[in-house]
Amino acid sequence: MFLVDLLFPKFCAGCGKVGTYLCNKCLWDIQQTDLVCPQCERLSVGGLTHPLCKRRYGLDGLWSLGIYQDPLRKIIQKLKYKFVKDVGETLISLTLKYWVKFTPQLLEELKKDQGEGWVVIPVPLHPKRQRFRGFNQSAQLGKLLAQKIGLDYQEVLKRIKYTKPQVGLKGKERRENLKNAFEIDPSPSLPDQDDKLCSKNYTQLVNCLLIDDVWTTGSTIKECCYVLKKAGAQKVWAITLAR
Ligand SMILES: [Zn+2]
Ligand SMILES: [Zn+2]
């Protein structure tokens, strides 16, 4: 054991076991979720929006890694307050592994376009909340995803309204709460210049992989999708760790 491990022991984000950030048992216990249409949430091959459920400014598909239950729930909650890159990377790798297995449609599209015109975009936090937390976990996940599949990463969306937490609000209240909460950032700061991820500008904003940690009712992601499509995005897929 290294001295650093004695001073700063690692704990599994799922079960608290010492010596690792994510133990194999927890990794195995993550249950892959069925893929559903983001509009009606009924089963759908590859998470594609059913043709009849398509809306002009709506999502084209939804891809989630696992069911929002322990250990995945615990892991996600921990990551919110302390983002451990190792854990993020493991989860993104797992996502891609399942992705290859269950969502050839989206992958085929990405391959067909050779990633050209596709960007990874995180669901933003309000600046106040981000200052409090120190980072946005969806952004961290988005950067890892973009790196792994070789796409551009852009922080295109800005949260301009400090919204109440969505928990406890009903469908209509959720939508009301989120109305005008997001806008396209006219002058994005390049987050990590050394990442070389932010090379393109918005005129090439065509197809988006919108990433967030959890899909609960989808109202936040749907609102972001609406803003992106209003700004000219063609296809928008939602990618979340849990649903
Ligand atoms: Zn564990
Ligand atoms: Zn549907």
Side-chain angles (χ1 to χ4, degrees):
M1 199 186 256
F2 294 106
L3 182 61
V4 63
D5 290 331
L6 288 172
L7 292 173
F8 306 102
K10 298 172 184 171
F11 297 101
C12 171
C15 66
K17 194 179 141 184
V18 184
T20 169
Y21 289 124
L22 187 55
C23 78
N24 280 332
K25 185 178 180 302
C26 287
L27 203 53
W28 280 107
D29 283 348
I30 293 176
Q31 290 240 8
Q32 218 238 320
T33 170
D34 287 324
L35 297 176
V36 297
C37 159
Q39 285 299 333
C40 66
E41 301 206 14
R42 296 205 185 102
L43 291 181
S44 157
V45 179
L48 268 172
T49 303
H50 298 125
L52 286 174
C53 293
K54 284 242 182 212
R55 299 286 174 274
R56 190 166 168 207
Y57 299 114
L59 287 164
D60 295 277
L62 164 64
W63 208 93
S64 306
L65 167 64
I67 302 171
Y68 194 49
Q69 63 183 25
D70 290 343
L72 187 56
R73 188 178 53 184
K74 261 199 197 128
I75 297 166
I76 289 173
Q77 283 168 354
K78 289 245 171 79
L79 283 185
K80 246 184 192 129
Y81 295 96
K82 185 171 182 265
F83 192 83
V84 179
K85 201 171 169 218
D86 279 27
V87 178
E89 263 169 357
T90 308
L91 291 177
I92 291 295
S93 297
L94 192 62
T95 301
L96 290 175
K97 205 175 106 195
Y98 283 139
W99 194 343
V100 172
K101 229 160 129 186
F102 297 103
T103 318
Q105 292 93 333
L106 178 54
L107 270 192
E108 288 308 315
E109 276 189 52
L110 288 169
K111 262 193 226 147
K112 192 181 78 211
D113 301 339
Q114 295 181 315
E116 202 55 39
W118 283 88
V119 286
V120 176
I121 296 169
V123 168
L125 288 176
H126 189 274
K128 224 160 102 187
R129 198 162 287 165
Q130 176 146 347
R131 268 197 303 278
F132 174 71
R133 291 236 187 102
F135 64 93
N136 172 4
Q137 105 152 318
S138 301
Q140 303 295 332
L141 292 166
K143 281 180 213 169
L144 293 172
L145 179 70
Q147 265 167 351
K148 286 221 186 242
I149 53 178
L151 295 185
D152 278 312
Y153 167 87
Q154 293 181 354
E155 296 185 355
V156 170
L157 289 166
K158 203 164 78 171
R159 201 162 190 144
I160 46 172
K161 198 165 114 185
Y162 195 76
T163 50
K164 286 182 269 184
Q166 293 282 92
V167 182
L169 296 181
K170 297 210 178 69
K172 212 180 149 200
E173 296 167 330
R174 282 176 182 254
R175 284 193 300 277
E176 237 356 87
N177 189 29
L178 286 168
K179 212 171 162 196
N180 304 321
F182 302 97
E183 69 174 23
I184 299 285
D185 192 341
S187 57
S189 54
L190 295 181
D192 292 302
Q193 305 235 16
D194 50 325
D195 280 358
K196 294 196 191 78
L197 285 168
C198 308
S199 53
K200 290 184 184 169
N201 54 39
Y202 299 156
T203 53
Q204 285 155 304
L205 177 67
V206 185
N207 302 313
C208 316
L209 297 182
L210 188 55
I211 186 162
D212 204 0
D213 50 1
V214 184
W215 172 283
T216 312
T217 62
S219 40
T220 308
I221 298 181
K222 283 177 184 165
E223 186 60 28
C224 289
C225 172
Y226 177 82
V227 173
L228 289 170
K229 287 212 164 173
K230 275 273 185 186
Q234 298 286 309
K235 282 180 210 149
V236 180
W237 271 75
I239 312 288
T240 67
L241 285 184
R243 181 177 71 81

